[in-house]
Amino acid sequence: MLILGIETSCDETAASVIKDGKEILSNIVATSSEMHAKTGGIIPEQAARQQVKSIIPVINEALKKAGVTKEDIDQIAVTVGPGLIGSLLVGVETAKTLSFVWEKPIVPVNHLAAHIYANWLEAEKEPPLPALSLVVSGGHTDLVVMHKHGKLEWLGGTRDDAAGEAFDKTARLLGLPYPGGPAISKETEKYLNKNPDEKLDLFPRPMVDEENFDWSFSGLKTAVLREVNENEDKSVERLSAEIQEAIVDVLVEKTLNAAEKFKPNSLLLSGGVAANKRLREKFKQRVSKRGIEVDFRVPKPKLCTDNATYIASFANFNNKPVSWQKVDANPQLSITGQV
Ligand code: KG4
Ligand code: ZN
């Protein structure tokens, strides 16, 4: 089964050809993030205009790189939500047109549920189910149990800002560029090279001891703002290290509380924030320290941030083609929402 995946939910224009849901034949991503770095965040209309410019060249490149033609493609998979409406429409309408003209089935894909499938790509062995899955992206933080393909149970999520948003907004307060996650991570490395044994407990870990699986990150933003305005004694490097550790700590500990309670067979990270080196390391350390027996997986960093590989993989394992007339963008879709 060869699936062409198309992803345009935010500021990445991506297309990919995936074989049997696991093998990556091509993975092409064009991003307008440099443009947004200058403005400190995404301007939706500009992101959409860039999507229009990039979509055809990106799809062409994905087919070429995979060494296939449109005749070889069995299905087209496209992100229908959540995301920015202007950006989503570019991918959705392009995919519908291709489906009509090429006479190929089309599968609408939930971007958040699809993130999880980065763990199926290039995996020697498929993750055993049920899986506990933490999806941490720019706009969403969700913890779900995946009982089987197509059956997700939502356990909790953020009550305000998403983890990625917390990185992006606090980075902005520190004068660092968009996207904030990689920028904060880079500053942290500089700090830790100079202060390897420093205890990082300046900022609060909200809700960490509560018996639920929810997070709250907006308080962190306020605490960082206070530090920046009232105490000028701390460097951007130090504050970055403190921010990263506070976000990582609460994500790891609450997810592991859920792992202890639900005893899943695997624990899967995904989403842009899962590219964070410290988050990946701390999960590994704490799983072993807390003695949790689980098959822990995290995709390569390149497969955590937005791309179309997992969009196609999702379609492979949740195969529900529909007629193109029934495919609509849905910017507000939740992780368990039906497309
Ligand atoms: O999944 P994603 O690429 O796009 C969305 O679906 O939102 O996630 C983007 C988010 C941004 O907030 C970005 O700051 C964050 O992922 N991110 C990171 C890292 N790389 C990307 N956060 C922390 N550390 C990173 N290395
Ligand atoms: Zn994403």
Side-chain angles (χ1 to χ4, degrees):
M1 173 78 104
L2 281 191
I3 301 187
L4 169 67
I6 297 176
E7 153 62 40
T8 66
S9 63
C10 191
D11 56 342
E12 271 87 26
T13 313
S16 175
V17 179
I18 298 295
K19 189 175 172 196
D20 299 331
K22 292 179 195 166
E23 196 183 328
I24 302 174
L25 302 191
S26 64
N27 176 16
I28 309 298
V29 183
T31 175
S32 58
S33 73
E34 266 180 37
M35 191 169 88
H36 308 300
K38 290 185 195 128
T39 49
I42 294 176
I43 298 175
E45 190 190 323
Q46 287 195 3
R49 285 176 186 274
Q50 282 306 119
Q51 294 283 4
V52 172
K53 280 190 192 156
S54 305
I55 188 78
I56 300 296
V58 164
I59 291 173
N60 265 337
E61 185 67 19
L63 294 173
K64 202 170 127 198
K65 189 83 187 280
V68 301
T69 63
K70 63 178 192 297
E71 282 75 29
D72 303 316
I73 297 294
D74 295 303
Q75 286 186 357
I76 298 164
V78 63
T79 297
V80 294
L84 302 170
I85 184 66
S87 291
L88 284 169
L89 282 172
V90 177
V92 167
E93 295 308 312
T94 305
K96 284 161 74 174
T97 307
L98 291 179
S99 163
F100 172 68
V101 177
W102 293 355
E103 299 179 358
K104 306 280 178 183
I106 182 168
V107 182
V109 175
N110 180 324
H111 176 93
L112 293 171
H115 258 300
I116 302 171
Y117 284 81
N119 290 288
W120 267 256
L121 292 159
E122 297 175 332
E124 268 175 36
K125 216 177 105 237
E126 285 185 27
L129 300 178
L132 177 68
S133 179
L134 175 69
V135 183
V136 267
S137 73
H140 299 81
T141 299
D142 287 301
L143 189 64
V144 294
V145 177
M146 180 173 171
H147 294 281
K148 57 181 187 175
H149 295 296
K151 188 161 180 241
L152 298 185
E153 179 192 352
W154 189 79
L155 299 182
T158 183
R159 299 220 176 141
D160 38 58
D161 293 347
E165 204 174 351
F167 273 111
D168 295 337
K169 288 182 174 170
T170 54
R172 197 170 172 174
L173 294 176
L174 300 183
L176 296 172
Y178 176 87
I184 285 193
S185 192
K186 213 162 117 193
E187 293 299 312
T188 302
E189 296 247 322
K190 289 190 223 160
Y191 182 74
L192 293 179
N193 280 339
K194 293 178 224 159
N195 309 276
D197 301 317
E198 197 72 13
K199 209 163 171 240
L200 299 168
D201 56 5
L202 178 66
F203 295 124
R205 271 64 167 162
M207 303 177 72
V208 77
D209 296 320
E210 289 180 20
E211 279 183 38
N212 54 43
F213 304 111
D214 288 343
W215 289 273
S216 166
F217 292 105
S218 67
L220 177 63
K221 205 171 50 191
T222 318
V224 173
L225 185 64
R226 204 177 312 122
E227 278 299 328
V228 171
N229 287 343
E230 293 171 16
N231 298 323
E232 287 174 358
D233 59 326
K234 296 182 191 75
S235 66
V236 167
E237 291 176 8
R238 155 105 196 261
L239 290 174
S240 295
E242 296 281 4
I243 290 166
Q244 176 174 287
E245 202 63 18
I247 297 174
V248 166
D249 257 352
V250 288
L251 288 174
V252 172
E253 296 312 325
K254 293 205 83 169
T255 302
L256 295 189
N257 292 349
E260 274 174 355
K261 179 166 176 190
F262 294 98
K263 302 191 173 22
N265 287 325
S266 55
L267 171 56
L268 314 176
L269 302 192
S270 63
V273 179
N276 186 274
K277 203 171 141 207
R278 178 66 179 149
L279 183 72
R280 304 160 76 91
E281 280 170 7
K282 194 143 193 178
F283 256 108
K284 233 176 265 162
Q285 282 169 12
R286 296 290 298 153
V287 164
S288 125
K289 193 89 190 275
R290 285 175 67 160
I292 299 170
E293 278 180 32
V294 74
D295 186 341
F296 172 67
R297 311 265 184 117
V298 56
K300 278 184 193 163
K302 202 179 152 191
L303 298 179
C304 291
T305 49
D306 282 354
N307 67 81
T309 60
Y310 53 78
I311 303 301
S313 178
F314 174 95
N316 185 85
F317 292 103
N318 296 266
N319 212 283
K320 289 196 184 125
V322 297
S323 65
W324 64 265
Q325 291 94 333
K326 294 212 171 117
V327 180
D328 279 319
N330 181 353
Q332 307 298 343
L333 202 59
S334 71
I335 191 164
T336 51
Q338 289 305 309
V339 290

PDB file of all heavy atoms in Angstrom, residues 276-288:
ATOM      1  N   ASN A 276      12.356  17.533  22.059  1.00  0.00           N
ATOM      2  CA  ASN A 276      13.214  18.107  23.109  1.00  0.00           C
ATOM      3  C   ASN A 276      14.099  17.041  23.759  1.00  0.00           C
ATOM      4  O   ASN A 276      13.612  16.040  24.293  1.00  0.00           O
ATOM      5  CB  ASN A 276      12.333  18.781  24.165  1.00  0.00           C
ATOM      6  CG  ASN A 276      13.155  19.518  25.200  1.00  0.00           C
ATOM      7  OD1 ASN A 276      13.598  18.930  26.174  1.00  0.00           O
ATOM      8  ND2 ASN A 276      13.366  20.789  24.971  1.00  0.00           N
ATOM      9  N   LYS A 277      15.401  17.295  23.708  1.00  0.00           N
ATOM     10  CA  LYS A 277      16.377  16.308  24.174  1.00  0.00           C
ATOM     11  C   LYS A 277      16.207  15.974  25.657  1.00  0.00           C
ATOM     12  O   LYS A 277      16.229  14.819  26.072  1.00  0.00           O
ATOM     13  CB  LYS A 277      17.775  16.893  23.930  1.00  0.00           C
ATOM     14  CG  LYS A 277      18.857  15.878  23.823  1.00  0.00           C
ATOM     15  CD  LYS A 277      20.148  16.537  23.365  1.00  0.00           C
ATOM     16  CE  LYS A 277      21.323  15.935  24.097  1.00  0.00           C
ATOM     17  NZ  LYS A 277      22.443  16.855  24.208  1.00  0.00           N
ATOM     18  N   ARG A 278      16.003  17.013  26.453  1.00  0.00           N
ATOM     19  CA  ARG A 278      15.862  16.815  27.895  1.00  0.00           C
ATOM     20  C   ARG A 278      14.599  16.012  28.222  1.00  0.00           C
ATOM     21  O   ARG A 278      14.610  15.137  29.084  1.00  0.00           O
ATOM     22  CB  ARG A 278      15.850  18.179  28.596  1.00  0.00           C
ATOM     23  CG  ARG A 278      15.654  18.117  30.081  1.00  0.00           C
ATOM     24  CD  ARG A 278      16.822  17.458  30.783  1.00  0.00           C
ATOM     25  NE  ARG A 278      16.628  17.425  32.226  1.00  0.00           N
ATOM     26  CZ  ARG A 278      17.109  16.478  33.018  1.00  0.00           C
ATOM     27  NH1 ARG A 278      17.816  15.473  32.516  1.00  0.00           N
ATOM     28  NH2 ARG A 278      16.898  16.525  34.306  1.00  0.00           N
ATOM     29  N   LEU A 279      13.514  16.304  27.504  1.00  0.00           N
ATOM     30  CA  LEU A 279      12.261  15.567  27.734  1.00  0.00           C
ATOM     31  C   LEU A 279      12.467  14.080  27.427  1.00  0.00           C
ATOM     32  O   LEU A 279      12.048  13.204  28.196  1.00  0.00           O
ATOM     33  CB  LEU A 279      11.139  16.127  26.853  1.00  0.00           C
ATOM     34  CG  LEU A 279       9.765  15.478  27.056  1.00  0.00           C
ATOM     35  CD1 LEU A 279       9.134  15.894  28.379  1.00  0.00           C
ATOM     36  CD2 LEU A 279       8.796  15.828  25.924  1.00  0.00           C
ATOM     37  N   ARG A 280      13.147  13.792  26.342  1.00  0.00           N
ATOM     38  CA  ARG A 280      13.391  12.407  25.933  1.00  0.00           C
ATOM     39  C   ARG A 280      14.245  11.688  26.981  1.00  0.00           C
ATOM     40  O   ARG A 280      13.939  10.556  27.386  1.00  0.00           O
ATOM     41  CB  ARG A 280      14.101  12.383  24.569  1.00  0.00           C
ATOM     42  CG  ARG A 280      13.343  13.121  23.492  1.00  0.00           C
ATOM     43  CD  ARG A 280      14.216  13.514  22.320  1.00  0.00           C
ATOM     44  NE  ARG A 280      14.508  12.398  21.452  1.00  0.00           N
ATOM     45  CZ  ARG A 280      13.789  12.038  20.398  1.00  0.00           C
ATOM     46  NH1 ARG A 280      12.731  12.753  20.079  1.00  0.00           N
ATOM     47  NH2 ARG A 280      14.125  11.010  19.662  1.00  0.00           N
ATOM     48  N   GLU A 281      15.312  12.389  27.415  1.00  0.00           N
ATOM     49  CA  GLU A 281      16.228  11.776  28.400  1.00  0.00           C
ATOM     50  C   GLU A 281      15.539  11.549  29.732  1.00  0.00           C
ATOM     51  O   GLU A 281      15.667  10.503  30.351  1.00  0.00           O
ATOM     52  CB  GLU A 281      17.416  12.712  28.643  1.00  0.00           C
ATOM     53  CG  GLU A 281      18.473  12.645  27.570  1.00  0.00           C
ATOM     54  CD  GLU A 281      19.509  13.762  27.721  1.00  0.00           C
ATOM     55  OE1 GLU A 281      19.463  14.505  28.742  1.00  0.00           O
ATOM     56  OE2 GLU A 281      20.324  13.896  26.811  1.00  0.00           O
ATOM     57  N   LYS A 282      14.814  12.592  30.175  1.00  0.00           N
ATOM     58  CA  LYS A 282      14.198  12.497  31.500  1.00  0.00           C
ATOM     59  C   LYS A 282      13.129  11.403  31.544  1.00  0.00           C
ATOM     60  O   LYS A 282      13.010  10.699  32.542  1.00  0.00           O
ATOM     61  CB  LYS A 282      13.605  13.841  31.929  1.00  0.00           C
ATOM     62  CG  LYS A 282      13.261  13.872  33.396  1.00  0.00           C
ATOM     63  CD  LYS A 282      13.542  15.201  34.031  1.00  0.00           C
ATOM     64  CE  LYS A 282      13.480  15.108  35.538  1.00  0.00           C
ATOM     65  NZ  LYS A 282      13.798  16.361  36.209  1.00  0.00           N
ATOM     66  N   PHE A 283      12.370  11.246  30.462  1.00  0.00           N
ATOM     67  CA  PHE A 283      11.393  10.163  30.408  1.00  0.00           C
ATOM     68  C   PHE A 283      12.097   8.818  30.612  1.00  0.00           C
ATOM     69  O   PHE A 283      11.676   7.995  31.418  1.00  0.00           O
ATOM     70  CB  PHE A 283      10.627  10.168  29.077  1.00  0.00           C
ATOM     71  CG  PHE A 283       9.228  10.709  29.204  1.00  0.00           C
ATOM     72  CD1 PHE A 283       8.901  11.946  28.679  1.00  0.00           C
ATOM     73  CD2 PHE A 283       8.244   9.983  29.847  1.00  0.00           C
ATOM     74  CE1 PHE A 283       7.609  12.450  28.812  1.00  0.00           C
ATOM     75  CE2 PHE A 283       6.954  10.475  29.977  1.00  0.00           C
ATOM     76  CZ  PHE A 283       6.641  11.720  29.455  1.00  0.00           C
ATOM     77  N   LYS A 284      13.178   8.638  29.868  1.00  0.00           N
ATOM     78  CA  LYS A 284      13.903   7.363  29.937  1.00  0.00           C
ATOM     79  C   LYS A 284      14.404   7.099  31.360  1.00  0.00           C
ATOM     80  O   LYS A 284      14.170   6.041  31.939  1.00  0.00           O
ATOM     81  CB  LYS A 284      15.086   7.402  28.962  1.00  0.00           C
ATOM     82  CG  LYS A 284      15.088   6.223  28.004  1.00  0.00           C
ATOM     83  CD  LYS A 284      16.209   6.335  26.993  1.00  0.00           C
ATOM     84  CE  LYS A 284      15.734   6.971  25.705  1.00  0.00           C
ATOM     85  NZ  LYS A 284      16.783   7.484  24.847  1.00  0.00           N
ATOM     86  N   GLN A 285      15.051   8.136  31.931  1.00  0.00           N
ATOM     87  CA  GLN A 285      15.584   8.010  33.292  1.00  0.00           C
ATOM     88  C   GLN A 285      14.487   7.694  34.304  1.00  0.00           C
ATOM     89  O   GLN A 285      14.624   6.818  35.142  1.00  0.00           O
ATOM     90  CB  GLN A 285      16.184   9.343  33.751  1.00  0.00           C
ATOM     91  CG  GLN A 285      17.548   9.669  33.205  1.00  0.00           C
ATOM     92  CD  GLN A 285      17.898  11.130  33.532  1.00  0.00           C
ATOM     93  OE1 GLN A 285      17.234  11.787  34.333  1.00  0.00           O
ATOM     94  NE2 GLN A 285      18.947  11.636  32.903  1.00  0.00           N
ATOM     95  N   ARG A 286      13.390   8.439  34.235  1.00  0.00           N
ATOM     96  CA  ARG A 286      12.352   8.318  35.248  1.00  0.00           C
ATOM     97  C   ARG A 286      11.531   7.032  35.104  1.00  0.00           C
ATOM     98  O   ARG A 286      11.061   6.488  36.096  1.00  0.00           O
ATOM     99  CB  ARG A 286      11.444   9.558  35.230  1.00  0.00           C
ATOM    100  CG  ARG A 286      12.161  10.845  35.598  1.00  0.00           C
ATOM    101  CD  ARG A 286      12.561  10.905  37.059  1.00  0.00           C
ATOM    102  NE  ARG A 286      11.413  10.872  37.942  1.00  0.00           N
ATOM    103  CZ  ARG A 286      11.424  10.406  39.188  1.00  0.00           C
ATOM    104  NH1 ARG A 286      12.528   9.904  39.701  1.00  0.00           N
ATOM    105  NH2 ARG A 286      10.319  10.414  39.917  1.00  0.00           N
ATOM    106  N   VAL A 287      11.379   6.550  33.881  1.00  0.00           N
ATOM    107  CA  VAL A 287      10.693   5.256  33.680  1.00  0.00           C
ATOM    108  C   VAL A 287      11.483   4.194  34.430  1.00  0.00           C
ATOM    109  O   VAL A 287      10.936   3.378  35.176  1.00  0.00           O
ATOM    110  CB  VAL A 287      10.588   4.902  32.172  1.00  0.00           C
ATOM    111  CG1 VAL A 287      10.259   3.425  31.985  1.00  0.00           C
ATOM    112  CG2 VAL A 287       9.540   5.760  31.489  1.00  0.00           C
ATOM    113  N   SER A 288      12.791   4.238  34.273  1.00  0.00           N
ATOM    114  CA  SER A 288      13.614   3.209  34.910  1.00  0.00           C
ATOM    115  C   SER A 288      13.691   3.423  36.419  1.00  0.00           C
ATOM    116  O   SER A 288      13.561   2.492  37.198  1.00  0.00           O
ATOM    117  CB  SER A 288      14.968   3.160  34.187  1.00  0.00           C
ATOM    118  OG  SER A 288      16.012   3.329  35.051  1.00  0.00           O
TER     119      SER A 288
END
